Amino acid sequence: MDNGLQLRSLGRFLYTQNPFYLISCFLIIYGLQIAAVANRDLVSRSIMLSGGTIAYALLMAITCVGVVRLCKVWDDARSIFLVVAITLVAFSIGLDELCVVDWNSAAAIMLAGALVTVAVTETLLKACRLSLPSSYRLSFYALMLVFFVSPLVLGKAVAERSATLTNWGAMLFSIAIAAALLVMVPAMRRGADLVRQNGSPWSWPLYPLSLFLILIVLAAIRTHAIWMSFGFIGAPVQFEPLLVLPIAFAVLMLMIEVDATKASPTCATLAMFLAPLMLLGSWSPGRTSHLPFLGDLRETFGSTSTFCMLAVGAFYAYAWLRSVPMANRAVVVSLMGLSVFGTVPAAAYQVGVRPWMFALSATLIVLVVCLRAWRSDQVWTAFIAIATVTIAMAFRSYGQRELGLVIAGGFALVAMMAIGALFATELAEVLRLFAGMGNVIAAGGVAVWHFSPDGASGRGWLAMAVLAAAIIATLVYSIVVRRTAWWYVAGIQALCLAGLVGVSTYRSGSLRGANLPIHSGLACFVIGVTITSMKTGVHHRFSRPIDGQVAPRLFLSGF
């Protein structure tokens, strides 16, 4: 019983989907290759293969017209349309060897095939009464032109020993395919409205994007076939994601155009999440990539990963230009990634370009966003983080790592204190807490530096001046924010300063004539009074009762 149900399900699937046209296409193409191999003459073999392919394409085109006009079976007609496109692409692929050995014969056959492609396409559309808008039609013909012209150009380059062109052939083919796909940008913006009355029961995006999906898959395969035919250098051929990077870039841009202007751009958002996959272009399945143009690519862009990161950043910049939500943040992340993981090429490095400049660009973008949304403490916090990293990277690139860390840390502390004073939010309170902890750590760092060789070599006064200025700033800040915890921070800073002064005085010999017991007793007296005042809570009572009610406290606890 179960076996009978499975057989009926399989039969129903084969009947409704009818995959036999596609199976027939692959079998015919494979059989033509086997038959052509038996012919020793290359020209005769090429003519036989191309002639058989064109004959099969004509057969399928006639079948498609009959299925549409007589039988009205549109589901099967869709498969036949795709088979015709696959067959025409297969025609352009089968002449690689002839393009190298006998370019004139290959050019004549390619020209005939191109004319047949145009004639079959236009006749098929007219006979089936299908409407294909101009943007889609131009993109289709541009794709077919790339398929037909690429073997001729690269075959000529191989014959003339043009190493640069042959090495870059596969990548240039992928770039040309991407450019041909981008011709559809106006059509993608209009979406379903452009093909609403197309003469068939098919709706957008099934019509006509299913055709271009097949062509994209064939183009991705063809990039590696071109590498094997024209750029092969004796190394093992393997799948290289870098070769399909331009095609992936174009596809993501088309996805952006689908609904970028809508309130909820689902397709554009999906493209935003898929864009980081382009970073896989720097990955190779084997231990080493054997692409022949990698040396030139690294010389131009610094590294393969930098090239991929630039592609991701360019895509997000385009998405930002198209007003896709969150695209500006993605641009900032891309620029920070370039500054941290990117490699500046030697030529750019010689003219002064440094990785930190990408981070500076990200900082400027965030600053513009901050000025537009100046009431958002979260945006200002992001600006602080990015600016701090940028400052540290800038000084490090010029050999001033320690100075950069000091200046970046100081900037971060001042900026966090400023946000904590200007905003009354939970994030502002957290930033005040971190700023207070940072001030304590900084005070300890200044004390440690004072006892270092630099501090002991005549510049110890600088540490004392910094601590004195920090104490004054902390006390003023405690008044601004009205928080008592900053008094403790100032107290710790004062202890560090007192310790530095005491040690410096002791080292200089100034205490030899002083009465140490009296001085120590006075210091203990001050400390005792301070502790007693803290126990009584007098520092919390700065207001007087008015009409039997206690006014709000002038200072609050915490940071």
Side-chain angles (χ1 to χ4, degrees), residues 21 58-74 76-77 80-81 124 127-128:
Y21 290 113
L58 293 174
L59 173 63
M60 296 306 297
I62 294 172
T63 304
C64 183
V65 174
V67 169
V68 171
R69 297 294 295 272
L70 300 178
C71 303
K72 307 295 183 183
V73 184
W74 286 96
D76 290 358
I80 300 174
F81 273 117
L124 194 58
C128 295

Side-chain angles (χ1 to χ4, degrees), residues 78 82 132 136 184 187-188 190-196 198 200-214 254-255 258 262 267:
R78 180 175 63 248
L82 299 180
L132 186 64
Y136 291 115
M184 287 191 293
M188 299 298 288
R190 297 185 60 181
D193 296 335
L194 188 61
V195 292
R196 196 174 302 278
N198 58 68
S200 74
W202 304 327
S203 60
W204 192 88
L206 182 62
Y207 177 83
L209 295 186
S210 57
L211 168 64
F212 291 95
L213 179 61
I214 292 295
L254 293 177
M255 293 176 64
V258 172
K262 295 182 180 179
C267 193

Side-chain angles (χ1 to χ4, degrees), residues 54 65 208 316 321 331 458 546:
I54 288 296
V65 174
Y316 283 135
L321 183 64
V331 171
I546 300 177

Side-chain angles (χ1 to χ4, degrees), residues 410 413-414 417-418 421 432-444 446 465-497 555-556 558-559:
L413 288 177
V414 172
M417 292 170 66
R432 288 198 300 268
L433 173 62
F434 281 115
M437 297 170 59
N439 275 282
V440 172
I441 295 173
V446 171
V466 170
L467 283 175
I471 293 171
I472 297 173
T474 302
L475 292 175
V476 172
Y477 188 74
S478 68
I479 298 174
V480 173
V481 298
R482 298 188 302 125
R483 298 285 179 170
T484 57
W486 288 94
W487 297 352
Y488 304 119
V489 175
I492 295 174
Q493 294 171 335
L495 287 176
C496 293
L497 177 60
F555 284 83
L556 301 176
F559 284 93

Side-chain angles (χ1 to χ4, degrees), residues 35-61:
V37 169
N39 198 328
R40 295 183 178 180
D41 182 59
L42 178 58
V43 177
S44 301
R45 184 164 67 243
S46 300
I47 292 176
M48 179 180 178
L49 179 60
S50 57
T53 304
I54 288 296
Y56 182 72
L58 293 174
L59 173 63
M60 296 306 297

Side-chain angles (χ1 to χ4, degrees), residues 323-397:
S323 301
V324 177
M326 307 297 290
N328 55 347
R329 300 183 183 182
V331 171
V332 172
V333 173
S334 300
L335 290 172
M336 293 302 297
L338 274 170
S339 64
V340 176
F341 302 106
T343 303
V344 177
Y349 194 88
Q350 291 177 356
V351 297
V353 178
R354 298 293 185 271
W356 67 268
M357 295 180 180
F358 295 107
L360 177 61
S361 301
T363 304
L364 295 177
I365 292 174
V366 177
L367 179 59
V368 172
V369 176
C370 288
L371 296 177
R372 291 181 177 179
W374 60 273
R375 295 183 178 180
S376 174
D377 56 344
Q378 296 179 355
V379 178
W380 283 107
T381 303
F383 170 75
I384 293 173
I386 296 175
T388 301
V389 175
T390 302
I391 294 172
M393 291 183 62
F395 278 89
R396 182 179 181 182
S397 65

